[in-house]
Amino acid sequence: MFRTALKTAAVAAGVTAALSLVPTTAVQAADWQPNKPVEMVIMAGQGGGADRLARLFQSIIEKNDLSNMPFLPVNKGGGSGAEALRYMKDNAGDAHKVMATLNSYYTTPIRTDIGVDIANYTPLARMAVDTFVLWVNADSGITTLEEFVEAVKAAGGEWKMGGTGTGQEDSLVTAMLEQEFGITFTYVPFSGGGTVAKNLIGNHIDSTVNNPSEQMAFFKAGKSTPIAAFTEDRLQVFPDVPTMRELGHDLVYTMQRSFVGAPDMPDAAQAYYVDLFTKLAATEEWQTYAAEQALLTDLLTGQALQDYFLAEREKHAKLLEALEGGGS
Amino acid sequence: MDVLTLLAEGFVVSLSPLNLAVVIVGVTVGLFIGAMPGLGSVNGVAILLPMTFLVPPASAIIFLAAIYYGAMYGGAISSILLGIPGASTAVATTFDGRPLAQKGKAGLALIAAAAGSFVGGTISVILFTLFAVPLADVALAFGPAEEFALVLLAFTTFVALGGDDVLKTIITIVLGLVLSTVGLDLISGQPRLIFGDLPGFYSGISFLVLAIGIYGVGEILWTIEQTRHKPHVTPARIGVRDLLAGLRSLGGSVKAMLSGSFLGYFVGMLPAAGATPASLMAYGVAKTTSKHPEEFGKGAVEGVVAPETANNAASTGSLLPMLTLGIPGSPTTALLLGGMVMWGLMPGPMLFLEEPEFVWGLISSLYTANFFAVAINLALIPLFVWSLRMPLHVLCAMVIVLCIVGGYAPDQRMHDVWLIAVFGIAGYLLRKLDYPLAPLVLALVLGPLMEKSMRQALISAQGDPMTFIERPISGTFVAIAVVLFLLPLVRRLRRRLAGSGTPASGRTSA
């Protein structure tokens, strides 16, 4: 008797538990789910920081079964990301396209008239903030900022700074350096950070402002030397590399790594992706990668993210104005 | 450590039953993915990525590499049978593969493609095994100036094609270059030639769209016109004996195979280039160095062997910058890269030292993948040839459908379908007027690369064009290009000086 009662109670408890669980999961699942592969548009070329990250996410999503449909990365890096921005705009309302952004998300529409207003895009999640470091080829023998500035001055404007497309992050950081130190570079644009890194190691250019992940493998092989970091604090992976601030120069610049959806993405789809990226941010694979590659993980979603985007756009408009007004 | 010891240890990994099974499945799947127009290896690899989580990391990468390899073999199949390039790397294969098929020699063309792929794959894997580490430095030595010189060399091989009308060749090259400037400019970020504000042109004109239009649709239109009053030649059947005879008859293509292998490997190794330019360049070189260049474009076996050898060699070559520099040479290698990062294998100069078991397991699996790919491919050739036995009116309709699907699938835009229609009609007209089409395709592939590297090199050199000549590697390439360009002129002059206009060989009037 007693035993049956217990059993009944247990079953009842189990049923209640199941019942209490069922509605929430069922509602979430029923809300919206992709019904075909999701296109992951990358605003940059292959091999750069944005590209690597998108492809890593693709694998993590698959491995942890975060989505019922695969995510397919597509590079649309043309025109400093204008190609990708335009593509998302032309696919307004599409629930099966997400875009991996970088700072050209703000700068490209400001510099090029492509009829895009980012305030209309659907914010999903900011996964990380990437950092910038000044790099030279290890063969150059340069190890300090002073030596670097001296070498650039001695080159008389012919010092080749490689970076991504004109008007993109790398060129902004380069322009900041020019203003701060009163030096001039010959800026050579390449299609992606990976190609930039390779050209530094091949001695086709003299310096870069690559993200840590782009130079990490070459740094470990002793082929490139970090001179200074454009960060608030020293990076954990390069404890011996000073920040520009420590050296008395107020140069701090970071790059957001976020995902946005097309303009007018359905609310249910937005909720789905925000949930997916939130889960992704908690995975062990992502945490490990971020720590190794000196990415600052700082999840931001919803309205807070949109506010951040708009504030950053404001900041970049001023930055561009100041730099382009200042000549070079 | 000794390379052979490392390779032997690699074989211990790749010959394990699981990895062997993975290679066989991967190659077979890849073969079909490559053969289907529109289902490129990028989508194929992406969709199959989930399957790789069922096996250990090394096997997963081997699986992806096997698909990649199989797709290189498969691309030739639809190029030859239907005249639609299954993948951009197989475009050059249509130049002679399709004419061979129309002559009822589809079996021979498929055998030539398979054999070429096998030789190219094998030679390049051997090169990879022996020289992967030192060659990484060669890839590094290629800056913008060197890239430009290489592309220039590629163009010369096409201009220098004796027999064809040089003026018409130059006109089609220029047309291709103009098409290649459509879209957003890398350096300034401004849109160019977008016909007012047609958004479809922002991303430029896809090379595959042009190739499908010109070769797929244009070819069908041409065939329909040609066969209107003539009975269609039914393609020959093929048996084991024909297979062997076909293999034996490839003796004349040894030179094309060797040059295709080396050229393909080196071009594939350069991060900016890849398998598509490599196959086009190999075709040009084979034609320039051939004893009977006039047969090219009309069904020369060497014209199938050269690009197929080169694209397989290049696919091995492009693994090199990915593994040693972390720079993917093609969209598919980019996917492989993503997979590696996922499992904590960080590509770069240290990978060979830190993860020898993985690297050499992968390299040795290329040997097994190559072996199985050729075996499976040869076994299936009779089946492929049999599919050509359908009546022409059915085949034509099917090809047009496949052209549309193949053009639409990659980006899923109707814009590309309209372009295919336009290019199809244009291609048909150009062919009627006897304009060579291969240079047009080549110009669209290499144009963007050429423009970008030229501008980067000029910016680096403060606008001084001497940079192309002063740098040793690029200077050498430029010199070879000049010689190749002048060679046919000299030949023609000499022939004219010799007197009578004796035709080189009995030229068939087409």
Short mmCIF file of all heavy atoms in Angstrom, two decimals, chain B residues 67-117:
data_model
loop_
_atom_site.label_atom_id
_atom_site.label_comp_id
_atom_site.label_asym_id
_atom_site.label_seq_id
_atom_site.Cartn_x
_atom_site.Cartn_y
_atom_site.Cartn_z
N ILE B 67 36.68 14.39 -49.34
CA ILE B 67 35.58 14.96 -50.12
C ILE B 67 36.13 15.98 -51.11
O ILE B 67 35.79 16.00 -52.30
CB ILE B 67 34.57 15.67 -49.19
CG1 ILE B 67 33.92 14.68 -48.25
CG2 ILE B 67 33.51 16.39 -50.01
CD1 ILE B 67 33.01 15.33 -47.25
N TYR B 68 37.00 16.81 -50.60
CA TYR B 68 37.64 17.86 -51.39
C TYR B 68 38.35 17.24 -52.58
O TYR B 68 38.23 17.69 -53.72
CB TYR B 68 38.60 18.55 -50.44
CG TYR B 68 39.50 19.62 -50.99
CD1 TYR B 68 39.00 20.65 -51.76
CD2 TYR B 68 40.85 19.62 -50.67
CE1 TYR B 68 39.85 21.64 -52.23
CE2 TYR B 68 41.68 20.61 -51.11
CZ TYR B 68 41.18 21.62 -51.90
OH TYR B 68 42.02 22.59 -52.34
N TYR B 69 39.05 16.18 -52.34
CA TYR B 69 39.81 15.49 -53.37
C TYR B 69 38.90 14.82 -54.38
O TYR B 69 39.10 14.92 -55.58
CB TYR B 69 40.69 14.44 -52.69
CG TYR B 69 42.10 14.49 -53.16
CD1 TYR B 69 42.91 15.54 -52.77
CD2 TYR B 69 42.58 13.52 -54.00
CE1 TYR B 69 44.19 15.62 -53.22
CE2 TYR B 69 43.88 13.59 -54.45
CZ TYR B 69 44.69 14.63 -54.07
OH TYR B 69 45.96 14.70 -54.52
N GLY B 70 37.87 14.15 -53.87
CA GLY B 70 36.92 13.46 -54.75
C GLY B 70 36.21 14.47 -55.65
O GLY B 70 35.99 14.21 -56.83
N ALA B 71 35.88 15.65 -55.09
CA ALA B 71 35.17 16.66 -55.86
C ALA B 71 36.02 17.15 -57.04
O ALA B 71 35.50 17.50 -58.09
CB ALA B 71 34.78 17.83 -54.97
N MET B 72 37.35 17.16 -56.84
CA MET B 72 38.24 17.58 -57.93
C MET B 72 38.16 16.59 -59.08
O MET B 72 38.23 16.97 -60.24
CB MET B 72 39.68 17.62 -57.43
CG MET B 72 39.99 18.84 -56.62
SD MET B 72 40.00 20.30 -57.67
CE MET B 72 39.74 21.54 -56.45
N TYR B 73 38.02 15.32 -58.76
CA TYR B 73 37.85 14.31 -59.81
C TYR B 73 36.49 14.47 -60.46
O TYR B 73 36.34 14.39 -61.67
CB TYR B 73 37.92 12.89 -59.20
CG TYR B 73 39.30 12.32 -59.08
CD1 TYR B 73 40.11 12.65 -58.02
CD2 TYR B 73 39.76 11.42 -60.03
CE1 TYR B 73 41.37 12.10 -57.89
CE2 TYR B 73 41.03 10.86 -59.91
CZ TYR B 73 41.84 11.19 -58.84
OH TYR B 73 43.08 10.65 -58.73
N GLY B 74 35.48 14.68 -59.63
CA GLY B 74 34.10 14.70 -60.11
C GLY B 74 33.80 15.87 -61.02
O GLY B 74 32.98 15.76 -61.93
N GLY B 75 34.46 17.00 -60.77
CA GLY B 75 34.19 18.20 -61.56
C GLY B 75 34.31 17.97 -63.06
O GLY B 75 33.59 18.57 -63.85
N ALA B 76 35.21 17.06 -63.44
CA ALA B 76 35.44 16.81 -64.86
C ALA B 76 34.24 16.13 -65.51
O ALA B 76 34.02 16.27 -66.70
CB ALA B 76 36.69 15.96 -65.03
N ILE B 77 33.48 15.37 -64.71
CA ILE B 77 32.47 14.50 -65.31
C ILE B 77 31.40 15.30 -66.05
O ILE B 77 31.13 15.05 -67.22
CB ILE B 77 31.86 13.59 -64.23
CG1 ILE B 77 32.95 12.65 -63.71
CG2 ILE B 77 30.70 12.79 -64.78
CD1 ILE B 77 32.59 11.91 -62.46
N SER B 78 30.82 16.31 -65.37
CA SER B 78 29.78 17.05 -66.08
C SER B 78 30.39 17.99 -67.13
O SER B 78 29.74 18.33 -68.11
CB SER B 78 28.87 17.80 -65.11
OG SER B 78 29.57 18.80 -64.46
N SER B 79 31.64 18.41 -66.90
CA SER B 79 32.31 19.23 -67.91
C SER B 79 32.38 18.48 -69.22
O SER B 79 32.16 19.04 -70.29
CB SER B 79 33.73 19.57 -67.48
OG SER B 79 33.73 20.48 -66.43
N ILE B 80 32.73 17.21 -69.15
CA ILE B 80 32.93 16.41 -70.36
C ILE B 80 31.59 15.97 -70.94
O ILE B 80 31.32 16.15 -72.12
CB ILE B 80 33.82 15.19 -70.04
CG1 ILE B 80 35.23 15.66 -69.74
CG2 ILE B 80 33.80 14.20 -71.20
CD1 ILE B 80 36.15 14.60 -69.20
N LEU B 81 30.74 15.41 -70.10
CA LEU B 81 29.51 14.81 -70.60
C LEU B 81 28.51 15.85 -71.08
O LEU B 81 27.87 15.69 -72.10
CB LEU B 81 28.86 13.94 -69.54
CG LEU B 81 29.66 12.71 -69.10
CD1 LEU B 81 28.89 11.96 -68.05
CD2 LEU B 81 29.94 11.81 -70.30
N LEU B 82 28.36 16.92 -70.29
CA LEU B 82 27.29 17.87 -70.57
C LEU B 82 27.81 19.23 -71.04
O LEU B 82 27.03 20.07 -71.48
CB LEU B 82 26.43 18.08 -69.32
CG LEU B 82 25.89 16.80 -68.68
CD1 LEU B 82 25.19 17.12 -67.38
CD2 LEU B 82 24.94 16.11 -69.65
N GLY B 83 29.10 19.46 -70.89
CA GLY B 83 29.63 20.77 -71.23
C GLY B 83 29.34 21.82 -70.19
O GLY B 83 29.55 23.00 -70.40
N ILE B 84 28.83 21.39 -69.03
CA ILE B 84 28.61 22.35 -67.93
C ILE B 84 29.69 22.07 -66.91
O ILE B 84 29.78 20.96 -66.39
CB ILE B 84 27.28 22.13 -67.20
CG1 ILE B 84 26.16 21.88 -68.19
CG2 ILE B 84 26.96 23.31 -66.31
CD1 ILE B 84 24.88 21.44 -67.49
N PRO B 85 30.51 23.06 -66.58
CA PRO B 85 31.52 22.81 -65.56
C PRO B 85 30.87 22.52 -64.21
O PRO B 85 30.05 23.30 -63.73
CB PRO B 85 32.34 24.09 -65.53
CG PRO B 85 31.57 25.11 -66.29
CD PRO B 85 30.58 24.40 -67.15
N GLY B 86 31.19 21.38 -63.62
CA GLY B 86 30.62 21.00 -62.33
C GLY B 86 31.14 21.91 -61.22
O GLY B 86 30.50 22.12 -60.21
N ALA B 87 32.34 22.43 -61.41
CA ALA B 87 32.94 23.35 -60.45
C ALA B 87 33.84 24.27 -61.24
O ALA B 87 34.21 23.97 -62.37
CB ALA B 87 33.75 22.57 -59.41
N SER B 88 34.19 25.42 -60.65
CA SER B 88 34.99 26.39 -61.40
C SER B 88 36.34 25.80 -61.80
O SER B 88 36.89 26.16 -62.83
CB SER B 88 35.20 27.65 -60.57
OG SER B 88 35.90 27.35 -59.40
N THR B 89 36.84 24.85 -61.00
CA THR B 89 38.14 24.27 -61.31
C THR B 89 38.10 23.41 -62.56
O THR B 89 39.12 23.09 -63.12
CB THR B 89 38.62 23.39 -60.14
OG1 THR B 89 37.54 22.51 -59.81
CG2 THR B 89 38.98 24.22 -58.95
N ALA B 90 36.90 23.03 -63.00
CA ALA B 90 36.79 22.13 -64.14
C ALA B 90 36.38 22.86 -65.41
O ALA B 90 36.05 22.23 -66.40
CB ALA B 90 35.79 21.02 -63.83
N VAL B 91 36.41 24.19 -65.38
CA VAL B 91 35.99 24.94 -66.56
C VAL B 91 36.92 24.64 -67.75
O VAL B 91 36.46 24.40 -68.87
CB VAL B 91 35.96 26.45 -66.27
CG1 VAL B 91 35.81 27.23 -67.56
CG2 VAL B 91 34.79 26.76 -65.36
N ALA B 92 38.23 24.63 -67.49
CA ALA B 92 39.18 24.40 -68.58
C ALA B 92 38.98 23.01 -69.19
O ALA B 92 39.32 22.78 -70.35
CB ALA B 92 40.61 24.56 -68.07
N THR B 93 38.43 22.10 -68.39
CA THR B 93 38.20 20.74 -68.89
C THR B 93 37.14 20.70 -69.98
O THR B 93 37.15 19.83 -70.84
CB THR B 93 37.80 19.83 -67.71
OG1 THR B 93 38.71 20.07 -66.64
CG2 THR B 93 37.85 18.38 -68.09
N THR B 94 36.20 21.68 -69.95
CA THR B 94 35.16 21.68 -70.98
C THR B 94 35.73 22.04 -72.34
O THR B 94 35.18 21.63 -73.35
CB THR B 94 34.05 22.72 -70.67
OG1 THR B 94 34.68 23.97 -70.44
CG2 THR B 94 33.24 22.35 -69.47
N PHE B 95 36.83 22.81 -72.37
CA PHE B 95 37.37 23.30 -73.65
C PHE B 95 37.55 22.16 -74.65
O PHE B 95 37.23 22.29 -75.82
CB PHE B 95 38.70 24.03 -73.46
CG PHE B 95 38.63 25.25 -72.57
CD1 PHE B 95 39.79 25.82 -72.08
CD2 PHE B 95 37.41 25.80 -72.20
CE1 PHE B 95 39.75 26.94 -71.27
CE2 PHE B 95 37.36 26.91 -71.38
CZ PHE B 95 38.53 27.48 -70.91
N ASP B 96 38.13 21.06 -74.20
CA ASP B 96 38.36 19.94 -75.09
C ASP B 96 37.54 18.71 -74.72
O ASP B 96 37.33 17.83 -75.55
CB ASP B 96 39.85 19.58 -75.12
CG ASP B 96 40.60 20.49 -76.06
OD1 ASP B 96 40.48 20.29 -77.28
OD2 ASP B 96 41.26 21.43 -75.58
N GLY B 97 37.12 18.64 -73.48
CA GLY B 97 36.36 17.48 -73.02
C GLY B 97 35.04 17.38 -73.75
O GLY B 97 34.63 16.30 -74.19
N ARG B 98 34.36 18.50 -73.89
CA ARG B 98 33.06 18.51 -74.54
C ARG B 98 33.17 18.12 -76.03
O ARG B 98 32.43 17.24 -76.49
CB ARG B 98 32.43 19.89 -74.36
CG ARG B 98 31.09 20.07 -75.00
CD ARG B 98 30.01 19.26 -74.31
NE ARG B 98 28.74 19.42 -75.00
CZ ARG B 98 27.85 18.46 -75.16
NH1 ARG B 98 28.10 17.26 -74.68
NH2 ARG B 98 26.72 18.69 -75.76
N PRO B 99 34.11 18.75 -76.80
CA PRO B 99 34.26 18.32 -78.19
C PRO B 99 34.56 16.83 -78.33
O PRO B 99 34.03 16.18 -79.22
CB PRO B 99 35.44 19.15 -78.69
CG PRO B 99 35.45 20.36 -77.83
CD PRO B 99 34.95 19.92 -76.50
N LEU B 100 35.37 16.29 -77.41
CA LEU B 100 35.66 14.86 -77.46
C LEU B 100 34.38 14.06 -77.29
O LEU B 100 34.14 13.07 -77.99
CB LEU B 100 36.67 14.48 -76.37
CG LEU B 100 38.15 14.62 -76.71
CD1 LEU B 100 38.99 14.40 -75.48
CD2 LEU B 100 38.54 13.62 -77.80
N ALA B 101 33.55 14.48 -76.34
CA ALA B 101 32.31 13.76 -76.08
C ALA B 101 31.41 13.82 -77.30
O ALA B 101 30.75 12.85 -77.64
CB ALA B 101 31.60 14.36 -74.87
N GLN B 102 31.40 14.96 -77.98
CA GLN B 102 30.54 15.10 -79.15
C GLN B 102 31.01 14.20 -80.29
O GLN B 102 30.22 13.82 -81.15
CB GLN B 102 30.52 16.56 -79.61
CG GLN B 102 29.61 17.39 -78.74
CD GLN B 102 29.77 18.86 -78.99
OE1 GLN B 102 30.83 19.33 -79.36
NE2 GLN B 102 28.71 19.61 -78.76
N LYS B 103 32.31 13.91 -80.29
CA LYS B 103 32.82 13.01 -81.31
C LYS B 103 32.58 11.56 -80.93
O LYS B 103 33.09 10.65 -81.58
CB LYS B 103 34.33 13.21 -81.47
CG LYS B 103 34.72 14.50 -82.18
CD LYS B 103 36.22 14.51 -82.33
CE LYS B 103 36.75 15.85 -82.79
NZ LYS B 103 38.22 15.89 -82.67
N GLY B 104 31.90 11.33 -79.82
CA GLY B 104 31.65 9.97 -79.39
C GLY B 104 32.80 9.38 -78.58
O GLY B 104 32.86 8.19 -78.35
N LYS B 105 33.71 10.27 -78.16
CA LYS B 105 34.86 9.78 -77.39
C LYS B 105 34.77 10.19 -75.92
O LYS B 105 35.78 10.50 -75.29
CB LYS B 105 36.16 10.33 -77.98
CG LYS B 105 36.48 9.76 -79.36
CD LYS B 105 37.85 10.27 -79.77
CE LYS B 105 38.17 9.86 -81.19
NZ LYS B 105 39.33 10.63 -81.70
N ALA B 106 33.55 10.23 -75.39
CA ALA B 106 33.39 10.64 -74.00
C ALA B 106 34.17 9.73 -73.07
O ALA B 106 34.77 10.17 -72.09
CB ALA B 106 31.91 10.63 -73.63
N GLY B 107 34.17 8.44 -73.39
CA GLY B 107 34.88 7.47 -72.54
C GLY B 107 36.35 7.80 -72.47
O GLY B 107 36.94 7.85 -71.38
N LEU B 108 36.93 8.07 -73.63
CA LEU B 108 38.35 8.40 -73.66
C LEU B 108 38.62 9.67 -72.85
O LEU B 108 39.57 9.73 -72.06
CB LEU B 108 38.80 8.60 -75.11
CG LEU B 108 40.25 9.01 -75.30
CD1 LEU B 108 41.18 7.92 -74.78
CD2 LEU B 108 40.56 9.31 -76.76
N ALA B 109 37.76 10.67 -73.01
CA ALA B 109 37.95 11.92 -72.28
C ALA B 109 37.88 11.69 -70.78
O ALA B 109 38.68 12.23 -70.01
CB ALA B 109 36.91 12.95 -72.71
N LEU B 110 36.91 10.88 -70.35
CA LEU B 110 36.77 10.62 -68.92
C LEU B 110 37.97 9.85 -68.37
O LEU B 110 38.46 10.11 -67.27
CB LEU B 110 35.48 9.83 -68.65
CG LEU B 110 34.19 10.64 -68.78
CD1 LEU B 110 32.98 9.73 -68.75
CD2 LEU B 110 34.10 11.67 -67.65
N ILE B 111 38.45 8.90 -69.18
CA ILE B 111 39.64 8.15 -68.75
C ILE B 111 40.83 9.10 -68.65
O ILE B 111 41.60 9.07 -67.69
CB ILE B 111 39.95 7.01 -69.74
CG1 ILE B 111 38.84 5.96 -69.67
CG2 ILE B 111 41.29 6.37 -69.42
CD1 ILE B 111 38.89 4.96 -70.80
N ALA B 112 40.96 9.96 -69.67
CA ALA B 112 42.08 10.91 -69.67
C ALA B 112 42.00 11.81 -68.44
O ALA B 112 43.00 12.08 -67.78
CB ALA B 112 42.05 11.75 -70.94
N ALA B 113 40.77 12.25 -68.12
CA ALA B 113 40.61 13.12 -66.95
C ALA B 113 40.99 12.39 -65.68
O ALA B 113 41.70 12.92 -64.82
CB ALA B 113 39.17 13.63 -66.88
N ALA B 114 40.52 11.15 -65.56
CA ALA B 114 40.81 10.38 -64.34
C ALA B 114 42.30 10.11 -64.22
O ALA B 114 42.90 10.29 -63.15
CB ALA B 114 40.04 9.07 -64.34
N ALA B 115 42.91 9.72 -65.35
CA ALA B 115 44.34 9.42 -65.30
C ALA B 115 45.14 10.68 -64.98
O ALA B 115 46.06 10.66 -64.17
CB ALA B 115 44.78 8.83 -66.64
N GLY B 116 44.76 11.79 -65.62
CA GLY B 116 45.45 13.05 -65.35
C GLY B 116 45.32 13.43 -63.89
O GLY B 116 46.29 13.81 -63.24
N SER B 117 44.10 13.31 -63.37
CA SER B 117 43.87 13.65 -61.97
C SER B 117 44.76 12.80 -61.06
O SER B 117 45.33 13.28 -60.09
CB SER B 117 42.41 13.41 -61.59
OG SER B 117 41.58 14.26 -62.33
#
